[in-house]
Each structure stands twice: as C-alpha cells, then as structure tokens.
C-alpha cells in the first residue's frame, strides 16, 4: 500500500457562505431547549423552531457519533474499534490539525501530532479573537465527537438565532438580512455559535490528549518511500507513518514541499481588530453585521459575556504601521463619521487592545495530494476574511474520513 501526504485547516470552523440571503422573519415559536440550542452567555434564551422532523434528523445524524466519556482518564476511543495498524502523522496542532487527529483517534487510527509551540498557537488565538462556527461545521464536529461538540456549543455564544446581515456603513440601515436560524432548525442542525479560539483549541487539545500531541517539534522535510513516509523533524529525528497531513498554517512547510514554494498573496486590505466590554441596545435582536463602505468595511459580532468583537478593514498597501498609541486615532479618521454601531465599538476599546495586521491569502490549489502527502483546508484553499466561502469543509472531511 502506498503512503499518503496531505496540507489541513487553520481556519477550519470559520465562516460559511450564505447560500440564500432573505429577510429574517420576526416570529419564531419557542419550544423546550436542549444543549444544541442553549447558550451560556448573558443574552436571553435563544429561539428554536419546533420541528419533529428536525429532531429526528439530528438524532439520526449523531446517534453513531463517538462521544467522550466523562472520566478524564478515558481515551475517548470507541471500545468496539480495534486499533488500526495504519499510522497518520499530522503537522500542526491548530484547529484543523486537532479535529483531524481527533477523528483518527476516535476511529482507532494511530495518530501523532507535531507542533512547534502550543503556547504560541494560544497566543495567536488571542490575537485573532473569537471564531464563528457555522451550523454545518458544528454538525460535522458532532459526527467526529459528540461530547466535544457539546462542550464547544456550551462554551459558545449563539448568534444564529438573531438578525445577521449587511448594512450601510454611514447610516446603519440594513441592505439585507440573513436568516441562518430557520435552515438550521429545519435541517436539524445546531445553531451558529461564536467561541474563543483559545477555548476551542483547549477543548480539542484535551480531547486529543497530550500523549498524542508532540509539542516542541515541527516537520521540516519528508520522503515518500512507497509503503510509508519518512518525516524529518526539527529536532533532527525521523518518524515514519502511512500518511502525512500538513496542517501547519498558511506558510506551511508541508505545503511548500508538496506543491512548491510560493509566497502568500496580499489581499489589499489591512485589518484593525479589537474586543471590548460593550452591550449594544439591540443585543437581543442582532448577532453580527457587516457595515459596508467604499474600499473599507467594518464587522461587529456579539461574542457573549457582555463583549463585542469587531474588525475594521481598509484598502491600502501592505507594510503600513501606526505611531505608538495612535491606532484608535487612525480608526476614528477612517470610520469616525460612520454609524453609531461602528463608532461606539471603537471608542469602547482600550488603545492597547486594538491590534493591526495585513491580510494575506493564497491562490487555491486543485492538487492537494502527492504520494503519501495530503493538503488540507487553508493550506490548499486558504482565504482571507474578505472572501465569502464555505470554510467548514475540513471538519466535514474529518467527520467522513477514513
């Protein structure tokens, strides 16, 4: 049997393209809630569309899913599955790499994850802020591990049961509203959440287990030997497996070795971001909105616990910087004349909590495999936040593989 090599997803459970944008109905009947539609933030109880069909569909979808045992000493492995002689090596312990590893583990496949620095990933998670997990990605995570999915849903803040959409940056008037609740409820899917990246990663680390994650070492090279792949690590050692999966980010070493060295492409947008203690007057009815302008836009979202997350995108060349202590001043120059929903969040954010980075992506590749290597997620189809595309496919792949 030939060995296999693959790049995975750094932004595995991020945004999902809206297939149908329609005005949100003002009426949803309320029925008894379960954890899938519950939340643990300061908002009022979320709404759920009554549907016996939805309940039946969801129950059928998750009935065969592996579930973590409450006992912390448990491996989480389905006891009916014998351990497979097939071994998978995963480069990178970001969200995508961990979900893939968890899928392997729960199906009895021998898996090892190599990561340079888990602490650095957590720091990056703090830098990048919370992440939105769409309904289809949550459903896929349920198929991978029901217990983990329940932990994630319990820790997250529901935004999918409220108005979400696009509006005018200057006036705040709605252009279009997205109904993400009704399709999820009618399809028996969990409702979209937002969760801290650090919290999400810790849940996944705990589920995969520290015995599987090899911290302090990265993949620097590999050689396909036909029946197996030899993987060279940064500490000079070599490990062997039947498949190498690259999940080591947009500047992936595995991707460079697999597809050739190329530089990421600048998206033409720089991004300011922040999280602030602020509760808008319409928190009960609005989950997230995108304020649109000419070559600039502003995204705001409830992230629970009395906090709002925001992103301000501005079209300009890469490499720019602001004098110390002047990021808010620049933001007010760019967005200070916009709607209150924009200005209020900028003003409520301390200067030291305003971050800035240029946004990069890559041209998607139609080829993500070579011999014993496989590319995955953003390594194969990386995208910036300025794109609208389904970003949950790596979790769907993990839920169906092998």
């Amino acid at each position: 049997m030939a060995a296999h090599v693959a790049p995975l997803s750094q932004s595995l459970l991020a945004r999902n393209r809206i297939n149908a944008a329609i005005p949100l109905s003002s009426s949803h009947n309320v029925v008894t809630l379960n954890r899938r539609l519950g939340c643990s933030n300061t908002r009022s109880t979320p709404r759920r569309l009554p549907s016996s069909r939805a309940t039946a569909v969801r129950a059928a979808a998750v009935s065969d899913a592996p579930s973590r045992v409450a006992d912390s000493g448990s491996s989480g492995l389905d006891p009916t599955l014998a351990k497979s002689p097939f071994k998978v090596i995963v480069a990178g312990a970001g969200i995508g790499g961990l979900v893939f590893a968890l899928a392997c583990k729960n199906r009895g496949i021998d898996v090892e994850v190599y990561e340079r620095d888990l602490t650095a990933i957590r720091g990056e998670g703090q830098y990048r802020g919370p992440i939105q997990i769409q309904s289809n990605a949550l459903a896929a995570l349920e198929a991978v591990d029901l217990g983990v999915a329940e932990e994630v849903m319990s820790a997250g803040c529901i935004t999918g049961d409220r108005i979400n959409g696009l509006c005018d940056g200057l006036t705040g008037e709605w252009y279009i509203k997205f109904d993400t609740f009704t399709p999820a409820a009618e399809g028996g899917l969990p409702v979209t959440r937002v969760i801290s990246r650090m919290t999400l990663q810790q849940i996944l680390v705990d589920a995969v287990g520290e015995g599987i994650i090899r911290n302090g070492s990265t993949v620097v090279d590999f050689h396909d030997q036909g029946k197996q792949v030899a993987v060279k690590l940064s500490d000079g050692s070599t490990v062997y497996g039947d498949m190498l999966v690259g999940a080591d980010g947009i500047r992936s070493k595995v991707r460079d070795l697999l597809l050739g060295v190329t530089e990421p492409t600048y998206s033409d947008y720089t991004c300011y971001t922040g999280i602030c203690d602020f509760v808008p007057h319409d928190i009960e009815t609005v989950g997230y909105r995108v304020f649109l302008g000419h070559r600039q836009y502003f995204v705001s979202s409830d992230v629970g616990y009395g906090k709002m997350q925001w992103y301000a995108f501005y079209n300009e060349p890469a490499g720019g910087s602001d004098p110390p202590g002047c990021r808010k001043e620049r933001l007010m120059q760019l967005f200070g004349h916009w709607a209150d929903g924009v200005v209020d969040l900028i003003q409520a954010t301390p200067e030291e909590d305003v971050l800035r980075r240029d946004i990069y992506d890559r041209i998607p590749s139609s080829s993500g495999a070579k011999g014993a290597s496989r590319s995955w997620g953003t390594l194969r189809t990386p995208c910036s936040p300025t794109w609208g595309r389904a970003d949950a496919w790596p979790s769907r792949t993990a839920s169906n593989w092998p």
Side-chain angles (χ1 to χ4, degrees):
M1 177 178 65
H4 308 280
V5 184
L8 206 114
S9 179
Q10 177 185 43
S11 56
L12 166 70
L13 304 173
R15 289 160 302 278
N16 179 40
R17 174 176 293 163
I18 303 298
N19 294 321
I22 59 176
L24 183 66
S25 169
S26 61
S27 62
H28 285 301
N29 295 322
V30 180
V31 298
T32 303
L33 304 174
N34 62 13
R35 178 174 293 186
R36 192 173 298 114
L37 284 160
C39 67
S40 57
N41 61 9
T42 57
R43 287 189 54 251
S44 63
T45 303
R47 300 158 293 176
R48 184 182 182 187
L49 189 68
S51 170
S52 57
R53 173 182 175 277
T55 302
V57 170
R58 177 90 331 251
V62 302
S63 61
D64 295 327
S67 179
R68 293 177 67 196
V69 180
D71 179 7
S72 60
S74 170
S75 67
L77 178 65
D78 186 339
T80 65
L81 295 176
K83 195 165 186 178
S84 168
F86 192 86
K87 180 178 179 180
V88 177
I89 297 171
V90 179
I95 295 170
L98 291 172
V99 172
F100 190 88
L102 183 61
C104 291
K105 173 186 174 182
N106 284 352
R107 285 156 179 76
I109 296 172
D110 189 12
V111 59
E112 294 177 356
V113 181
Y114 291 88
E115 172 55 50
R116 178 180 61 84
D117 188 353
L118 278 172
T119 303
I121 289 183
R122 291 174 185 141
E124 181 186 0
Q126 183 176 15
Y127 181 86
R128 296 175 64 192
I131 184 171
Q132 179 173 274
I133 310 179
Q134 289 281 358
S135 297
N136 59 341
L138 286 169
L141 188 58
E142 285 183 323
V144 170
D145 193 306
L146 182 57
V148 169
E150 289 180 341
E151 286 186 60
V152 170
M153 288 188 283
S154 178
C157 166
I158 292 180
T159 57
D161 66 338
R162 288 173 275 172
I163 297 173
N164 303 284
L166 311 178
C167 59
D168 185 276
L170 296 178
T171 66
E173 295 181 1
W174 289 101
Y175 286 140
I176 194 167
K177 301 173 184 178
F178 304 143
D179 179 6
T180 60
F181 179 85
T182 301
E186 290 181 343
L189 301 177
V191 175
T192 296
R193 261 88 166 169
V194 174
I195 186 173
S196 161
R197 291 176 189 266
M198 293 181 291
T199 300
L200 175 59
Q201 192 211 26
Q202 190 59 56
I203 291 172
L204 294 172
V205 166
D206 292 342
V208 171
E210 294 186 0
I212 290 176
I213 301 171
R214 309 292 197 265
N215 193 30
S217 189
T218 58
V219 173
V220 296
D221 200 0
F222 68 84
H223 177 62
D224 184 359
Q225 298 180 332
K227 293 185 178 181
Q228 64 180 356
V229 57
V231 179
K232 185 176 181 180
L233 304 176
S234 56
D235 61 7
S237 64
T238 301
V239 294
Y240 299 88
D242 298 284
M243 174 181 282
L244 168 63
V245 174
D248 45 344
I250 193 170
R251 299 182 185 276
S252 164
K253 183 66 175 179
V254 173
R255 185 186 193 280
D256 287 347
L257 293 168
L258 184 64
L259 304 177
V261 178
T262 58
E263 289 299 317
T265 303
Y266 181 52
S267 68
D268 293 329
Y269 281 85
T270 194
C271 175
Y272 292 85
T273 184
I275 300 175
C276 58
D277 295 315
F278 189 85
V279 179
H281 68 88
D282 53 4
I283 191 69
E284 294 293 330
T285 57
V286 177
Y288 77 82
R289 56 184 142 203
V290 182
F291 297 85
L292 300 177
H294 180 60
R295 296 186 176 179
Q296 61 188 108
Y297 62 101
F298 189 97
V299 182
S300 68
S301 176
D302 179 18
V303 294
Y305 309 99
K307 295 181 181 293
M308 292 290 292
Q309 176 189 22
W310 56 267
Y311 296 92
F313 295 88
Y314 187 70
N315 179 242
E316 67 179 5
S321 63
D322 303 300
C326 294
R327 287 178 177 169
K328 283 183 66 173
E329 179 181 341
R330 174 126 198 274
L331 280 168
M332 290 304 294
Q333 292 172 354
L334 299 175
F335 294 93
H337 58 295
W338 279 36
D340 290 345
V342 173
V343 176
D344 288 346
L345 296 185
I346 295 174
Q347 292 182 335
T349 307
E351 173 70 33
E352 60 271 20
D353 292 341
V354 177
L355 306 174
R356 177 181 178 175
R357 67 184 186 277
D358 294 332
I359 304 299
Y360 287 83
D361 51 37
R362 287 184 181 274
I363 298 173
S365 171
S366 60
S367 174
K370 181 179 180 181
S373 303
R374 292 291 180 275
S375 60
W376 189 273
T378 51
L379 274 65
R380 183 173 175 185
T381 56
C383 80
S384 74
T386 60
W387 288 16
R389 69 156 178 112
D391 224 11
W393 74 265
S395 66
R396 294 199 298 271
T397 303
S399 69
N400 293 322
W401 189 89

